[in-house]
Amino acid sequence: MSRKRLFWLAGGLAVAAVVSLIFGMMLLQKDIGSYIAGHYREYSRDANGTRYACSGSPEDVADELADYQQPEARADNDKNQYLRYSNNIVTIGPTATTRAASGSKV
């Protein structure tokens, strides 16, 4: 192989590596707020956060959200599940009329 062809091969491999790196970084960017907004129906918004209607037990919904993106911390009491992410706190539990997942920026 000539020297010129080796330079072209090295350049092509470098471009492929950069494209793969960028694509991989984009796949790692998971955002729990976008996931919740895309999968649940918003029914209320105020200074405390946004509320979404969801079905199932709070534990099942919290498990679904944790499967999508692992929270930094998780806690629960008798009625609610709490998921803490770097930029969001998600509370899942019953409201007056329905179960809700609410996220608020910290």
Side-chain angles (χ1 to χ4, degrees):
M1 217 179 235
S2 71
R3 186 174 180 195
K4 187 176 182 179
R5 283 189 177 172
L6 288 174
F7 279 126
W8 278 106
L9 178 62
L13 289 173
V15 168
V18 169
V19 168
S20 296
L21 179 65
I22 292 170
F23 184 69
M25 288 172 47
M26 288 181 353
L27 289 177
L28 289 176
Q29 297 294 327
K30 291 185 175 182
D31 180 37
I32 195 68
S34 297
Y35 179 83
I36 292 171
H39 288 80
Y40 299 100
R41 182 184 56 83
E42 179 182 331
Y43 71 88
S44 175
R45 183 183 297 234
D46 59 21
N48 294 323
T50 306
R51 290 177 181 78
Y52 296 89
C54 52
S55 60
S57 72
E59 186 176 345
D60 291 342
V61 174
D63 288 342
E64 179 184 336
L65 296 176
D67 285 345
Y68 173 74
Q69 182 180 1
Q70 189 66 34
E72 293 178 7
R74 182 173 177 171
D76 67 288
N77 61 18
D78 291 336
K79 297 179 183 179
N80 296 315
Q81 295 278 324
Y82 304 95
L83 305 175
R84 181 174 55 87
Y85 295 93
S86 60
N87 292 328
N88 291 292
I89 294 176
V90 180
T91 304
I92 304 122
T95 63
T97 58
T98 185
R99 300 201 182 278
S102 72
S104 58
K105 297 283 183 185
V106 176

